[in-house]
């Protein structure tokens, strides 16, 4: 998969596998104008993974895939191979930021109860930690998986928190209570790595489509629309986790309409 550039930074997609979604997973959706996003069986295939970027002396992972998981929704397991193909091992990563604690974004943090990235601090929003660990938002098993990495976790409190120079957070709640986007900045350019605030390119224009797994659908829509507006700023691109080819979306000047390009 092609790297995404922001200023002099290079953001590498780390492909982990595929999620198989149904058209009706987006409430209110009409796929008539978006047939090219469907596979031969009428499903929506979403790539799963994370992104790797070097910031100064730091090797940073943004989201952590689904892990070695195969079921009717997910076919994962390739992320460490994708990392190795770039010449890195899990121990090389010192900073991890997780957009939210759904299974396809935290999957490689632990394996059979063992920490996978032994030298990393894992930054997670306090609101998501509360929801998934203390309130058992996705059940006891998810909570236990997260408790296995608790010693590495640093909770993110509030908005616009600096993780490292050139990497800040932006609260984009709704998909989950503490869903957090990550803003990479270099020179005059900005890349907003936005996790699951958008799931597929149709939502760039069909902003009212609601995703079945958005915990608070109205709030998710507000966050989505705010991110789409943020992309109007010069030099700003959006990088969702699940877009085709794990590519970014950019607005290009067009008369009267918002026109998006991927890549
Ligand atoms: Zn996801």
């Amino acid at each position: 998969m092609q790297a995404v550039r922001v200023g002099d930074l290079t953001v590498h997609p780390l492909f982990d596998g595929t999620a198989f979604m149904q058209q009706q997973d987006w409430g209110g959706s009409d796929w008539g104008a978006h047939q090219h996003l469907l596979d031969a069986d009428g499903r929506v295939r979403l790539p799963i993974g994370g992104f790797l970027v070097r910031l100064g002396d730091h090797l940073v992972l943004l989201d952590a895939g689904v892990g070695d998981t195969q079921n009717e929704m997910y076919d994962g397991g390739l992320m460490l191979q994708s990392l190795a193909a770039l010449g890195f091992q899990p121990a090389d990563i010192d900073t991890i930021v997780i957009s939210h604690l759904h299974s396809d974004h935290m999957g490689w943090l632990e394996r059979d109860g063992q920490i996978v990235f032994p030298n990393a601090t894992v930054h997670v929003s306090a609101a998501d930690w509360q929801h998934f660990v203390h309130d058992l938002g996705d059940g006891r098993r998810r909570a236990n998986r997260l408790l296995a990495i608790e010693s590495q976790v640093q909770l993110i409190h509030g908005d616009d928190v600096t993780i490292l120079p050139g990497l800040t957070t932006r609260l984009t709640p709704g998909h989950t209570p503490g869903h957090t986007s990550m803003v990479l900045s270099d020179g005059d350019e900005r890349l907003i790595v936005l996790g699951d605030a958008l799931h597929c390119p149709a939502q760039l224009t069909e902003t009212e489509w609601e995703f079945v797994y958005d915990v608070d659908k109205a709030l998710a829509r507000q966050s989505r629309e705010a991110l789409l507006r943020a992309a109007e700023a010069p030099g700003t691109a959006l990088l969702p986790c699940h877009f085709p080819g794990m590519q970014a979306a950019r607005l290009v000047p067009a008369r009267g309409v918002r026109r998006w390009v991927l890549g």
Side-chain angles (χ1 to χ4, degrees):
M1 287 184 169
Q2 270 194 320
V4 179
R5 299 299 299 252
V6 48
D8 289 333
L9 302 175
T10 304
V11 181
H12 296 279
L14 291 180
F15 180 70
D16 192 31
T18 303
F20 300 92
M21 311 304 301
Q22 307 297 326
Q23 296 176 39
Q24 59 269 26
D25 289 338
W26 285 264
S29 62
D30 175 352
W31 290 82
H34 305 286
Q35 294 292 315
H36 61 286
L37 297 173
L38 307 177
D39 71 10
D41 300 319
R43 296 176 303 183
V44 186
R45 292 186 186 217
L46 307 179
I48 311 169
F51 298 95
L52 188 78
V53 60
R54 180 169 282 290
L55 285 176
D57 294 335
H58 297 279
L59 192 62
V60 181
L61 176 65
L62 306 175
D63 278 343
V66 72
D68 194 5
T69 299
Q70 291 83 33
N71 56 40
E72 61 186 22
M73 188 183 293
Y74 297 124
D75 181 8
L78 300 175
M79 193 160 146
L80 299 190
Q81 291 172 47
S82 298
L83 183 65
L86 293 170
F88 297 107
Q89 301 299 314
D92 297 330
I93 292 172
D94 60 81
T95 304
I96 300 175
V97 190
I98 302 294
S99 64
H100 65 295
L101 292 173
H102 278 157
S103 57
D104 59 317
H105 295 257
M106 50 69 67
W108 280 104
L109 294 181
E110 62 81 39
R111 199 173 192 185
D112 301 327
Q114 302 299 310
I115 285 171
V116 173
F117 302 98
N119 300 316
T121 300
V122 180
H123 299 266
V124 173
S125 80
D128 258 29
W129 192 262
Q130 175 70 35
H131 178 74
F132 288 95
V133 176
H134 299 302
D135 300 341
L136 303 179
D138 263 353
R140 172 65 65 186
R141 185 167 175 273
R142 180 75 47 79
N144 285 342
R145 290 187 68 192
L146 291 165
L147 285 169
I149 58 131
E150 189 175 20
S151 62
Q152 327 180 257
V153 168
Q154 185 156 333
L155 296 180
I156 303 167
H157 294 276
D159 198 5
D160 196 19
V161 173
T162 298
I163 304 293
L164 293 169
L167 175 59
T168 60
T169 65
R170 175 179 173 139
L171 269 179
T172 46
H175 182 61
T176 63
H179 187 281
T180 297
S181 299
M182 312 135 199
V183 184
L184 286 165
S185 305
D186 193 69
D188 295 334
E189 297 192 4
R190 252 176 9 138
L191 182 68
I192 306 178
V193 184
L194 55 76
D196 281 2
L198 285 89
H199 284 83
C200 82
Q203 287 177 299
L204 293 169
T205 49
E206 318 276 4
T207 59
E208 73 286 3
W209 288 17
E210 294 174 337
F211 192 61
V212 62
Y213 297 116
D214 289 342
V215 171
D216 182 331
K217 292 178 172 57
L219 187 58
R221 178 175 175 175
Q222 281 178 31
S223 291
R224 194 157 59 240
E225 292 179 340
L227 285 165
L228 296 174
R229 282 194 301 276
E232 293 171 357
T236 301
L238 306 179
L239 184 57
C241 197
H242 299 301
F243 270 25
M246 299 182 71
Q247 289 299 290
R250 302 168 199 273
L251 270 174
V252 291
R255 209 175 305 219
V257 292
R258 273 187 175 160
R259 197 165 80 78
W260 295 90
V261 291
L262 301 187

